[in-house]
Amino acid sequence: MAGKKLTVAKKAALDTEKTEVVEVPEVYKKPKQAIESVKAEDIEGDVVEEFTQQLSIFGQLIYNASNEDVTLIVDNLGFGDIYVSDKNDVRVGNESQRLLYKEQRAFKAQQLFLISASQPVASIIEIK
């Protein structure tokens, strides 16, 4: 092949043969079914505890409910995304755990795990 030039089609075929297919981890894929946001007005009961905290960059906040048998409502009050879960599997970039600015989500849990890549303000309300 000395002195021979490759045609565009042959070059593309060679490039395709060298291309490696990499599977994207499940954590970074879009959720199959989006989790609906809830509003505090949709949850019936009395507010028994309120907590507000500015999150640190890539620092995890673990919130333990002060009362038993409560619904925890997490509200993103600051600019930046909050990732929240009731299991210790919270990861930045996981779309199913993501709360955008002014979004809320309710959990029937005793403990929440929050993380962020920025420093938004998170509010957690306990409703019984």
Side-chain angles (χ1 to χ4, degrees), residues 3 8 13 16 43 52 65 69-70 75-76 84 94 101 106 109-110 122 124:
V8 174
T16 305
I43 306 292
T52 304
D69 195 34
V70 292
D75 193 4
N76 183 352
V84 61
N94 187 337
Y101 176 57
Q110 284 297 115
I124 301 173

Side-chain angles (χ1 to χ4, degrees), residues 30-38 84-87 94-100 103-107:
K30 292 265 186 193
K32 292 177 181 135
Q33 187 176 29
I35 297 172
E36 289 185 32
S37 296
V38 296
V84 61
S85 177
D86 57 349
K87 296 171 187 62
N94 187 337
E95 294 292 321
S96 66
Q97 299 173 339
R98 184 178 180 193
L99 274 181
L100 299 174
E103 275 189 339
Q104 298 173 325
R105 190 167 300 150
F107 294 89

